[in-house]
Amino acid sequence: MTFQDLNIEADMVQALADRGILEPFPIQQQTIPLALSGQDIIGQAKTGTGKTFAFGLPLSQRLGATPGPGVQALIVVPTRELAVQVTEDMELITSNRPTTVVSIYGGKAYEGQIDQLKAGAQIVVGTPGRLLDLVQQRILDLGGVKEMVLDEADRMLDLGFLPDVEKLFSKVPEVRHTMLFSATMPGAIVALARRFMSRPLHIRAAGVDETIAQANIEHIVYRAHSLDKDEVVSRILQAEGRGKAVVFTRTKRAASRLTEELIDRGFNAAAVHGDMSQEARERAMAQFKAGKKDVLIATDVAARGIDVDDITHVINHTLPEDEKAYLHRVGRTGRAGRTGIAVTFVDWDDLHKWALIDRALEFNRPEPVETYSSSPHLYSDLNIPEGVKGRLTTTPPNKEAKREGVAPGARGERGGRSSGRSGERTSEHSSERTEGEGRRRRSRGGRGRSGGGSGEGHSADASTQSRDQQSGGEQTGGQQVEGRGTHDGGGNEHHDGNAAPRRRRRRRSGGGGGGGANAPQAPQA
């Protein structure tokens, strides 16, 4: 069967053929004829089976070959990444028509989106928050909407967007054609459909219940130690026949850390998570799709926005929260009828959570195999060549020093600088002593003292020479032991290695003039 057999118009059939898309998937075969007739539809199929074309083709055809200006179709999606993906697919469908598609989502400037709306865009793809924002500003007018689509409705439920979706429904005309698509169908979504749709027809793609675990994906589960996961991931990424790979983490910080680690090991890795700006996320996704990066580290925010056909491996660096999140993660591979491999790491603390996921998905593997980077079965299970290590390139010396908090070359230079400073300090002390006590005092951080006669200076010189003789044994040959202090047995040095400052004048009760009672008197004229 072809798209032409489904009564899709020739210009759209040609647009798909130019991209090598010739045959429809089951969900498309069942949905397109009904949607073309105006029937409200609830479409349920596993991820990666072409739900976007299932609603995009009939929606575009119902708008006509030359639709007038103004918003006539609204497609609501839960995440920014999915908005970008759906927009690209809709632009492909309408590439041979004057129809304009605009993406409306947060994280980007309003101006460009507003300009496209004012230019007469007919199809709007957006997230609930930014859509409502523009509606409240009276920039986006939904009064002319004829076609409305909710994509990934269960994800909207998970993210708490259902109240916003209900507000959007209140802004569009009551008489419209509505389609709802989702991989799973929770009760709240069914209730929403009953409330806002007109006698919807529930379509399930063939074998949905039989493909809960997605038979075209090989599921491998390991019990791994958290400190060894990065090494295991690095070796999996060197498996024979690996294409693009997606690694999922639980937190944004973990995604950033793992990305840096893999880049340091020599892999072309990029990250997508919520702490990144929208421009950075789009840039990373574009590089991944174009093949400039072949490893993508992502949090669950991107689990449904990654639509790349040649992903061969999905790695769950941390266990997903439940079986639904698991299916959405691993659904990034095995798309469009291809096969894929999903590897999941289970921490010791997550064994109970894995038991629930295993029971729900009927894997019958409640006890994952304990696995380390050196385990022989890791190599055999994933077709990793023998002798592979977890690093493609060696760490540069400056990177190694930076990791340990030491400046480059600090280890080799430290001793030399210490000895050099010691030698300089010895020569400086000797030169200072020949220039008199006053200048020697000023060289110690500016601790000059006022007052005192020439007798006091002679006495200070004598005591200084005595101290210098006692400490001279510690400066043999210009070498001084670094860190010598008052507890080294000598008792004559301060903790910084310099001579201890004199404390005699602190006991003086009076101010100004010479020293205290114990200070030597200046000779009489």
Side-chain angles (χ1 to χ4, degrees):
M1 179 178 289
T2 65
F3 287 101
Q4 202 163 10
D5 297 332
L6 298 175
N7 296 323
I8 297 298
E9 294 177 357
D11 61 310
M12 291 190 288
V13 173
Q14 184 60 44
L16 296 177
D18 292 342
R19 293 288 297 271
I21 304 172
L22 302 176
E23 297 181 358
F25 290 111
I27 186 66
Q28 298 165 358
Q29 296 175 12
Q30 299 177 56
T31 302
I32 290 175
L34 294 171
L36 287 174
S37 67
Q39 171 70 50
D40 282 7
I41 292 173
I42 299 175
Q44 183 178 358
K46 68 178 183 178
T47 183
T49 56
K51 292 193 298 292
T52 305
F53 288 158
F55 64 75
L57 288 168
L59 180 150
S60 300
Q61 186 160 320
R62 285 174 59 84
L63 292 183
T66 56
V71 178
Q72 302 177 41
L74 177 63
I75 303 173
V76 186
V77 296
T79 64
R80 301 171 184 177
E81 285 72 26
L82 190 57
V84 173
Q85 171 198 323
V86 172
T87 300
E88 292 175 354
D89 289 342
M90 294 303 300
E91 289 175 344
L92 168 63
I93 292 172
T94 60
S95 58
N96 295 328
R97 296 190 173 199
T99 307
T100 304
V101 184
V102 57
S103 280
I104 304 293
Y105 54 88
K108 296 193 72 173
Y110 285 88
E111 288 76 9
Q113 300 173 357
I114 293 174
D115 291 344
Q116 287 181 286
L117 289 174
K118 290 182 177 179
Q122 294 92 356
I123 300 176
V124 172
V125 182
T127 53
R130 178 59 68 91
L131 289 172
L132 279 179
D133 191 2
L134 294 181
V135 168
Q136 291 169 358
Q137 295 183 42
R138 298 185 178 180
I139 296 173
L140 175 60
D141 181 14
L142 301 179
V145 170
K146 305 174 183 177
E147 305 283 330
M148 186 166 180
V149 178
L150 267 64
D151 193 17
E152 304 287 8
D154 54 346
R155 182 62 172 163
M156 292 188 197
L157 174 64
D158 295 338
L159 296 176
F161 286 151
L162 285 194
D164 291 342
V165 171
E166 293 176 355
K167 291 179 182 178
L168 289 172
F169 270 115
S170 67
K171 303 294 183 181
V172 299
E174 292 186 2
V175 179
R176 63 184 180 274
H177 179 219
T178 308
M179 293 180 282
L180 184 151
F181 286 81
S182 180
T184 59
M185 202 60 58
I189 299 301
V190 175
L192 179 74
R194 290 174 178 172
R195 180 178 175 187
F196 293 106
M197 300 178 74
S198 174
R199 293 180 293 180
L201 185 64
H202 193 164
I203 298 176
R204 294 181 178 88
V208 170
D209 294 334
E210 299 173 1
T211 58
I212 291 179
Q214 293 177 249
N216 60 325
I217 299 176
E218 181 182 359
H219 300 266
I220 300 174
V221 187
Y222 293 137
R223 187 170 59 185
H225 194 284
S226 58
L227 297 179
D228 195 40
K229 285 183 180 180
D230 294 354
E231 183 70 19
V232 176
V233 169
S234 300
R235 300 190 183 197
I236 293 174
L237 293 178
Q238 299 177 66
E240 294 180 355
R242 178 186 74 85
K244 295 175 182 176
V246 180
V247 184
F248 284 104
T249 62
R250 185 175 299 165
T251 64
K252 296 174 283 190
R253 180 175 299 178
S256 297
R257 184 201 61 78
L258 181 58
T259 303
E260 293 178 1
E261 178 67 23
L262 292 179
I263 292 174
D264 179 56
R265 290 171 179 260
F267 296 95
N268 291 324
V272 174
H273 55 77
D275 277 350
M276 299 171 61
S277 66
Q278 185 60 34
E279 289 76 10
R281 288 160 66 173
E282 292 181 3
R283 184 166 56 251
M285 286 296 301
Q287 291 176 335
F288 183 65
K289 289 181 179 180
K292 296 179 181 179
K293 304 289 186 180
D294 62 354
V295 181
L296 186 71
I297 295 89
T299 54
D300 285 322
V301 70
R304 300 202 189 187
I306 304 172
D307 184 18
V308 182
D309 292 339
D310 52 350
I311 295 175
T312 59
H313 289 68
V314 168
I315 302 174
N316 289 315
H317 191 272
T318 48
L319 192 67
E321 290 300 320
D322 51 32
E323 70 277 5
K324 295 178 183 177
Y326 178 90
L327 290 176
H328 294 313
R329 282 187 181 186
V330 302
R332 299 312 99 195
T333 187
R335 301 178 73 84
R338 293 176 171 86
T339 59
I341 297 174
V343 182
T344 301
F345 298 149
V346 181
D347 293 327
W348 271 256
D349 294 340
D350 290 333
L351 285 174
H352 66 289
K353 187 185 295 184
W354 169 251
L356 298 175
I357 295 175
D358 176 77
R359 187 180 305 116
L361 299 179
E362 300 177 357
F363 283 141
N364 297 321
R365 283 178 260 177
E367 292 291 335
V369 179
E370 186 172 345
T371 304
Y372 298 92
S373 56
S374 58
S375 299
H377 65 266
L378 174 67
Y379 288 78
S380 59
D381 291 349
L382 292 161
N383 199 23
I384 303 173
E386 291 293 333
V388 162
K389 302 299 181 183
R391 184 174 292 277
L392 298 180
T393 59
T394 57
T395 304
N398 59 341
K399 183 83 172 180
E400 181 103 12
K402 183 178 178 181
R403 281 182 168 184
E404 300 180 9
V406 181
R411 295 173 178 170
E413 298 174 3
R414 184 169 184 176
R417 287 200 300 267
S418 298
S419 61
R421 284 196 302 267
S422 300
E424 292 171 3
R425 190 183 301 120
T426 303
S427 62
E428 288 172 0
H429 285 331
S430 61
S431 63
E432 288 168 357
R433 293 176 197 124
T434 61
E435 295 174 2
E437 176 66 8
R439 185 170 179 179
R440 186 187 62 79
R441 289 179 179 176
R442 285 195 300 272
S443 68
R444 292 181 186 166
R447 292 187 181 181
R449 295 181 177 88
S450 62
S454 60
E456 180 183 354
H458 289 302
S459 177
D461 288 342
S463 61
T464 301
Q465 291 173 3
S466 175
R467 286 195 305 273
D468 292 339
Q469 291 173 358
Q470 293 175 359
S471 62
E474 299 172 359
Q475 298 179 353
T476 305
Q479 297 290 334
Q480 181 176 357
V481 180
E482 187 175 355
R484 293 292 298 273
T486 56
H487 298 288
D488 59 8
N492 289 318
E493 289 189 354
H494 196 49
H495 68 277
D496 58 359
N498 296 325
R502 296 179 63 186
R503 300 174 61 87
R504 176 175 56 79
R505 294 182 65 86
R506 294 186 181 180
R507 295 194 296 270
R508 185 179 61 189
S509 59
N518 296 329
Q521 299 296 323
Q524 298 295 327

